[in-house]
Amino acid sequence: MNRPYNFSAGPAAMPAEVLQQAATDMLDWQGSGMGVMEMSHRGTEFMSIIAAAEADLRELLSVPSHFRILFMQGGGLAENAIVPLNLSRGGVMDFVVTGSWSQKSFKEAHKYGQPRLVASNETSAHTTLPTPSSWQLSGGARYVHLCSNETIHGVEVHELPDLKALGSDAPLVIDFSSHVASRSVDWSRVGLAFGGAQKNLGPAGLTLVVVREDLLGHALSVCPSAFDYKTVADNGSMYNTPPTYAIYMAGLTFQWLKRQREGSLSGVAAMEQRNMAKAELLYGFIDNSQLYLNKVDKDCRSRMNIPFFLRDETRNDAFLVGAKARGLLQLKGHKSVGGMRASLYNAMPLAGVQALVAYMREFEQKQA
Ligand SMILES: *Cc1c(COP(=O)(O)O)cnc(C)c1O
């Protein structure tokens, strides 16, 4: 079946093979007589699904053994509270604000401790990244928060900061919701990473947390038990009923990721290669056109979320109508930024970006 190309920022397109497998399994998962939504989370069938999902993810992201993988609920925004509830101990937290998502994280943290703004790119309208050496890090901060890919503004951190080298002992917390599994992660520089699944891993409803073991067990006493990382970890993400179907779908996506190949590369390394080629194609076209414009600094442009503008904004509606007619869906930009946005998550093949560029070229020529 030929499906349109879906550029949604999230919930986002999933690989067709994954959706097809889910359809096959819908009424009867592997001869069990049950669909996955109908299984006890503590039965042997679902236990094997969650164990495989966790093992596959650990392998794909090369998560070291002293990190725990937690499957939670609440999404990225709930983590804006859950992280300070678990890590702040009521003390100082350092925030790097680089766009809408880190701004929200900073604001929410005020309920749980003393967040400090240590760097911001607000004066550039979130189109740059403050270099780590300019961050005004606090002595004794409980953690440093960084959104490693700002989904709305299209700003991505291409090299995680080495906080130790910057004189800070604080663990780095990254919100990697919108680029998880699109590239490798340098875990030696990370204390905790969190992300909602609905951008690049699976359906909404599942939140991934990868946390270094020594950061468990310090939650504030008001922290809900279901959101205490240690409780969740001690119970294998089964303290309460986990989002079973979303975990199953993410698990199918992990198996799909493991099958991906680019030359001699496989898994996330293959995806990273493909994602670079996809982003280069679109940015290269935009930069060389007279009609389209991307405002983000070249060294921090996101590979996943590419906001762009038509220099003649009166043509926005015509652009979107024509795109939809071509089977190029959900290209409208976020309301706070305007213009267009193409999200090129793992499930978007290079052919989808080629189709988008062909349409954009034709639309520009028609208008000229
Ligand atoms: C989408 C997104 C969120 C919010 O996730 P919810 O699941 O809606 O709470 C947080 N951070 C980033 C970077 C995102 O892209």
Side-chain angles (χ1 to χ4, degrees):
M1 179 173 143
N2 252 341
R3 303 173 79 221
Y5 294 115
N6 178 354
F7 296 90
S8 172
M14 294 182 59
E17 285 170 53
V18 167
L19 296 172
Q20 253 149 7
Q21 182 64 50
T24 303
D25 293 347
M26 184 59 71
L27 299 186
D28 180 10
W29 181 81
Q30 297 194 2
S32 65
M34 300 176 279
V36 175
M37 275 181 269
E38 308 169 300
M39 292 172 179
S40 163
H41 57 297
R42 302 193 191 281
T44 52
E45 294 89 354
F46 186 74
M47 292 294 274
S48 75
I49 289 172
I50 193 172
E54 184 179 331
D56 286 341
L57 183 66
R58 189 175 286 280
E59 181 185 330
L60 279 164
L61 294 183
S62 304
V63 178
S65 58
H66 63 294
F67 281 76
R68 302 295 295 267
I69 292 174
L70 311 180
F71 294 126
M72 299 182 68
Q73 301 185 58
L77 288 192
E79 289 302 323
N80 286 345
I82 297 170
V83 171
L85 276 164
N86 277 275
L87 267 51
S88 75
R89 299 185 225 182
V92 171
M93 302 158 268
D94 283 350
F95 282 79
V96 179
V97 169
T98 52
S100 299
W101 293 113
S102 46
Q103 184 69 53
K104 282 195 164 84
S105 306
F106 177 52
K107 189 161 175 239
E108 181 76 3
H110 285 80
K111 296 180 182 173
Y112 307 105
Q114 302 150 50
R116 284 193 58 235
L117 182 65
V118 299
S120 164
N121 63 357
E122 202 151 1
T123 54
S124 75
H126 306 305
T127 59
T128 55
L129 268 184
T131 51
S133 59
S134 73
W135 299 358
Q136 305 289 309
L137 296 171
S138 316
R142 302 301 193 187
Y143 65 89
V144 177
H145 178 103
L146 177 68
C147 178
S148 47
N149 186 63
E150 287 280 3
T151 320
I152 293 174
H153 291 91
V155 170
E156 184 167 7
V157 177
H158 290 296
E159 189 187 356
L160 292 174
D162 181 354
L163 294 184
K164 278 227 158 50
L166 297 169
S168 168
D169 284 329
L172 179 68
V173 170
I174 57 170
D175 174 356
F176 68 169
S177 294
S178 52
H179 72 165
V180 54
S182 73
R183 60 189 304 157
S184 62
V185 177
D186 182 351
W187 293 105
S188 73
R189 297 185 172 184
V190 174
L192 183 148
F194 70 82
Q198 71 271 23
K199 311 293 168 53
N200 213 11
L201 299 179
L206 168 65
T207 313
L208 172 67
V209 175
V210 183
V211 55
R212 220 172 57 204
E213 246 159 18
D214 62 286
L215 299 176
L216 301 173
H218 305 294
L220 298 176
S221 57
V222 295
C223 180
S225 304
F227 291 156
D228 181 329
Y229 292 140
K230 183 164 172 23
T231 305
V232 178
D234 287 350
N235 288 279
S237 299
M238 298 265 199
Y239 171 72
N240 63 331
T241 312
T244 53
Y245 198 74
I247 290 170
Y248 155 75
M249 292 293 286
L252 292 182
T253 307
F254 302 157
Q255 289 168 17
W256 175 83
L257 277 170
K258 285 174 69 175
R259 293 195 297 272
Q260 301 307 301
R261 298 280 180 279
E262 284 295 328
S264 59
L265 302 172
S266 66
V268 169
M271 288 318 313
E272 180 161 10
Q273 201 68 27
R274 205 179 289 169
N275 289 330
M276 285 192 289
K278 282 151 53 184
E280 265 165 40
L281 175 61
L282 184 51
Y283 283 118
F285 172 74
I286 290 171
D287 289 343
N288 286 308
S289 88
Q290 301 302 307
L291 179 61
Y292 307 102
L293 171 71
N294 172 280
K295 300 177 183 174
V296 179
D297 242 29
K298 285 196 174 148
D299 51 9
C300 58
R301 284 173 162 183
S302 172
R303 294 171 186 162
M304 294 285 100
N305 310 99
I306 304 185
F308 64 90
F309 298 88
L310 274 57
R311 288 175 204 265
D312 179 357
E313 299 237 294
T314 65
R315 291 168 179 168
N316 282 357
D317 288 345
F319 179 85
L320 289 167
V321 168
K324 193 170 179 191
R326 286 281 201 101
L328 305 168
L329 307 183
Q330 309 205 67
L331 283 162
K332 193 174 170 138
H334 190 272
K335 59 182 185 302
S336 66
V337 173
M340 310 295 157
R341 174 173 51 169
S343 293
L344 313 181
Y345 298 122
N346 287 343
M348 175 61 61
L350 180 62
V353 186
Q354 288 165 337
L356 173 61
V357 166
Y359 168 67
M360 288 170 72
R361 180 177 289 120
E362 188 182 296
F363 185 84
E364 179 171 0
Q365 284 166 354
K366 209 166 53 191
Q367 303 292 354

